[in-house]
Amino acid sequence: NAGVMQNPRHLVRRRGQEARLRCSPMKGHSHVYWYRQLPEEGLKFMVYLQKENIIDESGMPKERFSAEFPKEGPSILRIQQVVRGDSAAYFCASSQATETNYGYTFGSGTRLTVV
Amino acid sequence: GNSVTQMEGPVTLSEEAFLTINCTYTATGYPSLFWYVQYPGEGLQLLLKATKADDKGSNKGFEATYRKETTSFHLEKGSVQVSDSAVYFCALKGQAGTALIFGKGTTLSVSS
């Protein structure tokens, strides 16, 4: 039973390009969460999605960032017109349910470098 | 809103030393509390959890007790090993439908 799969593991983009990060949740998990990890800042929540729905996007920057979790296929975090400040590790997590006592399973992350 | 505060690192210890990493939280209602560990270059792994007051979570020699009266969930281990070197995150999950909130992480470095 594969865990949460993220790809690519490393992504290099030039300023102004688009970055697409993919996340396939664990089998049986229908809740997906994206987090960003910056040095010295810990893990910041970005967005929470269920199939075809965005539940909470309170942590998403207002511009250039979007996320989706289609009926078929992985969840996608999309960053348009990347800037140097977008360089970070982006982690996806999934859970079976949203009740309080359910923990998350994390992927290994995508490390985005903007040059 | 909900928040988690954990002690700043890095924490540097010798092998077999006692470890405490402090974590306090602010939350409405009755959250669940978690400790996650992140090894270099990897994602986060759940270390232990507690879902109600006075519960003790434990795993791999680590333990933490959910103290509602002090709003704390301190991580402890009696004898650390070099292989415990990692970043440790305290996290809180509030009501259903909300996401996990993490502290900033504490880096632990254990030397032989």
Side-chain angles (χ1 to χ4, degrees), chain B residues 7-66:
Chain B
M7 63 187 286
E8 291 193 20
V11 174
T12 304
L13 295 173
S14 298
E15 208 165 21
E16 299 184 4
F18 184 85
L19 168 71
T20 299
I21 300 178
N22 290 339
C23 171
T24 57
Y25 68 90
T26 302
T28 54
Y30 302 94
S32 290
L33 301 172
F34 303 81
W35 277 100
Y36 280 81
V37 58
Q38 183 182 32
Y39 298 101
E42 298 184 12
L44 278 70
Q45 302 174 26
L46 178 63
L47 182 60
L48 54 83
K49 70 177 184 180
T51 59
K52 60 183 188 296
D54 299 325
D55 266 3
K56 178 186 283 189
S58 61
N59 185 26
K60 299 180 182 178
F62 291 89
E63 58 183 35
T65 301
Y66 187 164

